[in-house]
Amino acid sequence: MARLFLGIDVGSTTVKAVVIDQANSIVATQYLRANGRPRPTLLKAVKALGFEHDLSALAGFGFTGSGGEAIARQVGGYHVNELVAQTRALGAFHADARTVIEIGGQDSKFL
């Protein structure tokens, strides 16, 4: 059985979740509007992913986003600031890129 990892972005307007395998290949995703209710939306996203894959033995999971830190503390998860996450991903997957423009529901970033 492949080792799976769950990444969750709890933003100001949406919840995004991704399951990847140990080769960093995307296995499944969820993208849901939170409508001001990020925690119930997160549960809905994880349940949907659980219908697709066995998440009971995740090798790891982590959070990012404006709402991710509080939830990570509640569930004993790992939180990474979204700017740090974006720059790490850029370095790992697109090291030749020099500019990132990220437009979120709460703010925008130019890296």
Side-chain angles (χ1 to χ4, degrees), residues 51-92:
F51 287 129
E52 296 179 46
H53 300 280
D54 180 12
L55 302 180
S56 64
L58 286 172
F61 67 99
F63 294 86
T64 192
S66 59
E69 187 171 9
I71 295 172
R73 278 195 308 264
Q74 288 180 335
V75 300
Y78 183 69
H79 179 264
V80 175
N81 174 281
E82 60 193 78
L83 292 175
V84 173
Q86 290 170 359
T87 55
R88 286 182 185 168
L90 188 63

Side-chain angles (χ1 to χ4, degrees), residues 8-16 34 38 64-68 82 105-106:
I8 300 168
D9 178 1
V10 183
S12 60
T13 61
T14 61
V15 171
K16 296 161 289 283
T64 192
S66 59
E82 60 193 78
Q106 177 178 310

Side-chain angles (χ1 to χ4, degrees), residues 2-59:
R3 290 170 34 116
L4 299 178
F5 302 86
L6 174 62
I8 300 168
D9 178 1
V10 183
S12 60
T13 61
T14 61
V15 171
K16 296 161 289 283
V18 61
V19 177
I20 62 170
D21 62 19
Q22 57 199 38
N24 291 326
S25 295
I26 295 173
V27 175
T29 64
Q30 284 287 305
Y31 180 100
L32 301 171
R33 289 223 168 267
N35 298 314
R37 301 182 47 137
R39 286 180 175 91
T41 304
L42 170 59
L43 290 175
K44 184 177 179 182
V46 172
K47 283 181 183 179
L49 291 171
F51 287 129
E52 296 179 46
H53 300 280
D54 180 12
L55 302 180
S56 64
L58 286 172

